[in-house]
Amino acid sequence: MRLLNPKQIWAIGGGKGGVGKSFITGNLGVMLAQRGYRVVLVDMDLGGANLHTWLGVNNPDRGVSEFVGHFVENVDQLLTPTGINNLSLISGARDGMEIANLKHTQKLRFLRALQRLEADCVLLDLGAGTAYNTIDFFLLADTHLLLAVPEPTSIENAYRFIKNSFYRKLRSDGNEQGLRDAIEQLLLLNNPQGIRTPKDLIEYMHRQGGTLGRFIERQLEEFQPQLILNQVRNAQDMRIGSAMESACFKYFGLRLKFLGHIEHEDAVWHSVLQRRPLVMDQPNSGTTKRLSVICSAILQQRSQHPRATELTSAGGP
């Protein structure tokens, strides 16, 4: 029985590598499948695809690159069984260089193909960093999950990811609504309005009112990424998620929702070595229980605000 209508696309991103995106994506996917949803995991870490390894699946011989290159026209042909009921996998590109600069039309074609899949939920495991491909697929999803660990470099990169994603969205949506020149002028490094941060920009557009005021209100309503803090070791680490939520609003004027944290646990590394998802290998572990709470929170939010994926919310490079 389908419980999600319309289909949901979740993107899991992060500004830094090694924060556990594949681990979280794979285990959330398994958890959703165990709850009866039809799930497809998509490895969008172009050039560094390893989601199949986390799931104990042999490296598929075709994936995203074959679809983008028109070697495969039907995305259903990319689906690889995982051995887990209700869960399939689409592997990433074997050579990231060949699709490092996807055109906007190619991104939309792929997202539309994903929407046609017989699935309730599609999870995108994005690459690290703030490349256009990563940010655009992050913005094209319905649910935007940002992963970080309690380390200065990861926290700094998470803020950078949020800022760059927000500016990318403004440029893309502003172009569609005839505001391209106005937005570009405001985003200039040495703009005459003295705008230096997203908060400066938001306040300026609010003061202008009219079309700009309405535009920024809609942007703020649509752009509300959600944070998961991984590899937490102590009480001090636990406070970082809420601190980031507050700091993002104070200094950026943007709402970052802190969903919860995942504690550092030896069982995680054991599951990686065994190539078996933790939620199956250790269903009663603390990590599994926390992931379950996070998963339920996301589903509840989506059920309260259902909408179809908007395939026009990100522009090309």
Side-chain angles (χ1 to χ4, degrees):
M1 177 180 178
R2 290 197 62 172
L3 300 177
L4 301 182
N5 187 25
K7 180 188 286 90
Q8 296 182 10
I9 298 181
W10 300 4
I12 297 88
K16 183 179 182 295
V19 296
K21 290 187 302 298
S22 295
F23 171 79
I24 297 297
T25 303
N27 280 283
L28 280 178
V30 172
M31 191 166 284
L32 287 166
Q34 290 176 333
R35 297 186 184 194
Y37 300 109
R38 296 170 297 174
V39 183
V40 176
L41 303 179
V42 185
D43 197 334
M44 295 300 298
D45 191 349
L46 308 180
N50 63 4
L51 189 53
H52 60 280
T53 303
W54 291 85
L55 295 168
V57 176
N58 293 328
N59 192 12
D61 58 2
R62 56 176 59 179
V64 176
S65 54
E66 279 69 29
F67 183 83
V68 172
H70 291 277
F71 298 106
V72 171
E73 293 298 329
N74 190 339
V75 74
D76 286 37
Q77 295 176 264
L78 304 180
L79 293 174
T80 298
T82 64
I84 300 170
N85 288 338
N86 298 321
L87 186 68
S88 299
L89 169 70
I90 294 179
S91 184
R94 287 173 291 175
D95 181 3
M97 294 300 295
E98 65 192 51
I99 52 176
N101 295 301
L102 287 179
K103 296 179 180 178
H104 184 49
T105 54
Q106 292 174 306
K107 297 169 190 175
L108 295 186
R109 173 175 171 263
F110 185 57
L111 262 293
R112 290 185 178 118
L114 293 180
Q115 283 191 309
R116 292 192 294 270
L117 287 170
E118 287 295 321
D120 296 305
C121 199
V122 178
L123 273 62
L124 307 180
D125 178 16
L126 302 179
T130 56
Y132 281 144
N133 279 342
T134 300
I135 287 179
D136 284 347
F137 280 113
F138 185 76
L139 293 173
L140 284 165
D142 301 298
T143 296
H144 314 109
L145 303 176
L146 180 63
L147 201 61
V149 297
E151 299 172 0
T153 54
S154 178
I155 295 169
E156 181 181 351
N157 287 332
Y159 285 135
R160 184 178 295 115
F161 188 95
I162 293 169
K163 177 181 177 180
N164 290 349
S165 296
F166 183 62
Y167 282 175
R168 179 72 166 167
K169 178 171 170 52
L170 292 182
R171 285 189 167 98
S172 302
D173 290 1
N175 186 40
E176 293 168 9
Q177 298 181 34
L179 297 173
R180 177 176 180 176
D181 291 342
I183 298 298
E184 289 295 343
Q185 287 296 316
L186 295 176
L187 293 179
L188 288 175
L189 185 60
N190 295 315
N191 62 82
Q193 291 81 11
I195 293 170
R196 298 291 178 267
T197 69
K199 186 175 183 179
D200 292 340
L201 177 64
I202 293 165
E203 291 176 348
Y204 174 82
M205 296 179 77
H206 273 147
R207 289 196 302 269
Q208 298 305 301
T211 302
L212 282 179
R214 292 190 294 271
F215 174 78
I216 198 62
E217 278 298 320
R218 181 175 179 184
Q219 298 302 305
L220 293 173
E221 181 181 340
E222 294 176 348
F223 186 77
Q224 297 187 33
Q226 302 178 75
L227 174 69
I228 300 173
L229 194 64
N230 194 24
Q231 299 176 25
V232 167
R233 295 176 181 269
N234 51 49
Q236 182 178 354
D237 287 350
M238 291 181 188
R239 292 191 288 270
I240 289 176
S242 296
M244 289 181 66
E245 185 180 65
S246 299
C248 194
F249 185 71
K250 180 178 180 180
Y251 297 109
F252 282 3
L254 299 173
R255 296 196 178 277
L256 171 69
K257 182 176 178 59
F258 177 46
L259 285 176
H261 70 270
I262 306 296
E263 295 178 1
H264 180 273
E265 190 175 14
D266 289 339
V268 171
W269 302 112
H270 182 267
S271 73
V272 173
L273 293 175
Q274 296 298 316
R275 300 180 65 191
R276 182 174 169 82
L278 179 72
V279 298
M280 298 181 67
D281 196 39
Q282 300 283 340
N284 296 316
S285 70
T287 297
T288 298
K289 293 176 181 177
R290 291 195 178 278
L291 275 172
S292 180
V293 172
I294 289 172
C295 185
S296 296
I298 299 170
L299 287 171
Q300 183 177 10
Q301 291 172 14
R302 294 307 312 164
S303 66
Q304 292 173 348
H305 304 282
R307 67 175 178 83
T309 303
E310 295 182 3
L311 291 179
T312 58
S313 59

